[in-house]
Amino acid sequence: MMDLQNKNILLGVSGGIAAYKSVELLRLLKKAGADVNVIMTDSAQKFVGKTTFEVLSENSVLSDLFLDTQSSVKHIELAAGADAAIIAPATANTIAKFAHGLADDALSTTLLAVTCPVMVCPSMNTDMYQNIRVQRNLDILEKDGWVILDPDSGILACKTVGAGRLPDPWFIFDRVEAMLVKKDLKGKNILVSAGPTVEPLDPVRFISNHSSGKMGYSIARAAERRGGMVTLVSGPVSLDAPVAVECILVHQADIIVKVAAVADYKPMDPKPRKIKKNENDKDLSILMTQNPDILKLLGKKKTKDQFLVGFAAETDDLEKNALLKMEKKNLDMIAANIVGSSDSGFKADTNKVKLFFRDGSSFDIPLMAKDKVADILIDKVIEKMG
Ligand code: PMT
């Protein structure tokens, strides 16, 4: 989860049944350290009481420009201090007001004064959502630079099935975080590999490794948030796929980050049936054969505009082994990490990485969350790519 400390967020709630989900969204924003000011329309208060938002936000809720505040320009103060505004749920009426610059309540008036990024989360009956007027209004807002979060499809409050459901609070939260990140990878295609490989021995057993995918998924998530078009090639992991990570053709990638723990060897002759225990044989030998080195192949095919990043998982001689791999695989950068300790490498949520570059320089990333390592690694890629 990103640190939203020192961020001022406006949460606009308009009158739909999904207003209850905004309570959870508020909790997620607060948990991430944001200062949240809630603005409610009259109809929103018919669905969820003001008190709930006031208690959880630790701020008074703005709902009436004339009655509620000590300051006569509270809406201007809120708008001026906001780092981001989220309207969830956004009804057809509220969207129409935004699109046409109306200012007849606390929410529409405040939103007319904001200069920060705004995310609108439409939520309504499918026919209303698909209505040409609503779509036209959403188009206007999008063209003005506001982010429109498409609603989910599913069973709606009116018992119909279709598009119009407010997405889950964690998803909205994820997209708010993404909205606040600088887009320094815009226009770049990025390929990330993550997780373990699995090589079968027989129909029951396999040879694999301890990679959880956490490091690679963190890099894919960070790259997507920074505006990149990310393809994630993943081995079997128990992680949720990062949001909005798309598939593109591998050869088109501008940046390739190979975090996957790929088997160097696989069983030469995987058996079609389960290998039975033989009481007379105390030992079992498995003949292994080398797998193709994907990174090395990519290094050979690398174009002059591509930036190729490998990882080196080592138990000893970190620097020597990493530099050798960078050379052999024709990499622009290698991220070396020690595996075998509980707070870095495999499975851990944290990692300690040393980056080595083609120009002979290096950079130490001390022990920190893999999400943070991912961002620093991307900073360095961008810096080196110029
Ligand atoms: O997934 P986590 O639990 O978060 O753990 C993260 C990690 C420890 C797996 C990760 O940080 C890491 O070090 N990944 C690389 C693991 C690895 O296979 O390292 P290696 O030194 O064996 O391989 C060097 C590079 O060549 C790697 O980029 C690897 O993807 C690539 N390779 C290796 C063999 C092969 N046949 N083809 C390859 O492309």
Side-chain angles (χ1 to χ4, degrees):
M1 189 184 271
M2 189 175 146
D3 192 359
L4 294 183
Q5 216 80 45
N6 304 322
K7 296 279 183 223
N8 294 315
I9 310 275
L10 291 183
L11 176 59
V13 186
S14 58
I17 185 69
Y20 76 94
K21 289 190 184 173
S22 304
V23 176
E24 187 56 30
L25 175 61
L26 167 61
R27 287 189 64 242
L28 291 171
L29 292 165
K30 287 292 289 178
K31 212 167 137 193
D35 184 25
V36 186
N37 279 282
V38 179
I39 308 172
M40 297 179 83
T41 63
D42 284 347
S43 30
Q45 293 169 73
K46 305 253 174 9
F47 291 93
V48 181
K50 236 165 117 169
T51 318
T52 307
F53 285 104
E54 278 180 341
V55 171
L56 292 173
S57 70
E58 300 169 278
N59 281 319
S60 58
V61 167
L62 183 67
S63 60
D64 187 316
L65 290 173
F66 303 100
L67 293 178
D68 286 2
T69 68
Q70 276 106 41
S71 163
S72 57
V73 287
K74 182 79 179 161
H75 59 294
I76 302 295
E77 284 166 17
L78 288 180
D83 294 298
I86 314 149
I87 317 303
T91 59
N93 183 45
T94 293
I95 290 167
K97 287 188 201 180
F98 291 156
H100 297 282
L102 297 186
D104 64 352
D105 61 9
L107 183 58
S108 53
T109 309
T110 309
L111 264 286
L112 212 50
V114 296
T115 53
C116 63
V118 180
M119 179 182 289
V120 175
C121 309
S123 170
M124 63 198 77
N125 159 272
T126 308
D127 290 333
M128 286 173 77
Y129 173 64
Q130 287 169 349
N131 185 289
I132 184 78
R133 293 169 201 88
V134 173
Q135 288 301 316
R136 201 185 294 136
N137 288 337
L138 287 170
D139 264 5
I140 291 175
L141 296 178
E142 198 162 26
K143 284 193 182 112
D144 287 347
W146 287 17
V147 176
I148 311 297
L149 196 71
D150 290 341
D152 278 351
S153 289
I155 303 175
L156 303 175
C158 51
K159 303 278 186 287
T160 56
V161 178
R165 248 171 52 167
L166 188 70
D168 286 339
W170 68 265
F171 183 86
I172 303 177
F173 175 80
D174 182 276
R175 295 297 84 195
V176 172
E177 281 186 324
M179 185 170 77
L180 290 169
V181 171
K182 61 179 184 305
K183 303 288 177 230
D184 49 5
L185 284 178
K186 208 172 167 61
K188 295 280 181 222
N189 292 316
I190 297 136
L191 173 71
V192 181
S193 75
T197 55
V198 177
E199 300 291 357
L201 262 175
D202 66 17
V204 179
R205 305 175 184 94
F206 56 81
I207 291 177
S208 187
N209 59 62
H210 289 299
S211 174
S212 63
K214 286 177 186 170
M215 189 68 253
Y217 276 55
S218 287
I219 291 177
R221 200 177 302 114
E224 185 277 326
R225 285 180 174 194
R226 293 169 70 155
M229 289 277 293
V230 181
T231 304
L232 176 64
V233 180
S234 175
V237 296
S238 54
L239 301 173
D240 289 329
V243 171
V245 168
E246 287 191 42
C247 279
I248 52 155
L249 292 176
V250 169
H251 71 265
Q252 291 175 340
D254 303 299
I255 301 166
I256 299 174
V257 190
K258 286 226 58 217
V259 196
V262 182
D264 288 324
Y265 293 90
K266 63 178 175 188
M268 182 114 151
D269 179 24
K271 303 293 179 216
R273 290 167 191 279
K274 185 179 175 188
I275 303 167
K276 295 285 180 208
K277 184 166 79 178
N278 184 340
E279 294 299 342
N280 299 324
D281 285 337
K282 283 279 169 277
D283 304 318
L284 173 73
S285 304
I286 298 164
L287 203 57
M288 308 276 276
T289 182
Q290 243 183 47
N291 262 332
D293 190 322
I294 309 156
L295 191 56
K296 199 168 168 189
L297 292 173
L298 290 170
K300 276 191 185 145
K301 289 177 156 195
K302 192 174 67 169
T303 65
K304 66 172 178 27
D305 297 326
Q306 270 182 333
F307 196 90
L308 194 53
V309 182
F311 265 69
E314 307 295 341
T315 49
D316 40 63
D317 283 338
L318 187 69
E319 177 158 352
K320 193 172 132 220
N321 287 327
L323 290 173
L324 210 67
K325 280 177 187 169
M326 178 159 66
E327 189 58 38
K328 269 203 323 212
K329 303 190 189 203
N330 191 25
L331 309 178
D332 298 292
M333 165 175 152
I334 191 153
N337 50 189
I338 288 283
V339 288
S341 83
S342 59
D343 57 1
S344 69
F346 291 121
K347 290 185 179 161
D349 291 330
T350 49
N351 208 1
K352 186 174 166 213
V353 175
K354 184 156 186 170
L355 305 178
F356 296 97
F357 306 96
R358 214 35 203 246
D359 58 14
S361 60
S362 64
F363 186 82
D364 275 302
I365 306 180
L367 190 71
M368 62 179 76
K370 282 181 174 169
D371 282 348
K372 293 217 165 89
V373 172
D375 260 318
I376 297 175
L377 185 142
I378 292 172
D379 284 343
K380 288 291 160 191
V381 171
I382 292 173
E383 187 186 310
K384 291 290 171 186
M385 282 182 91

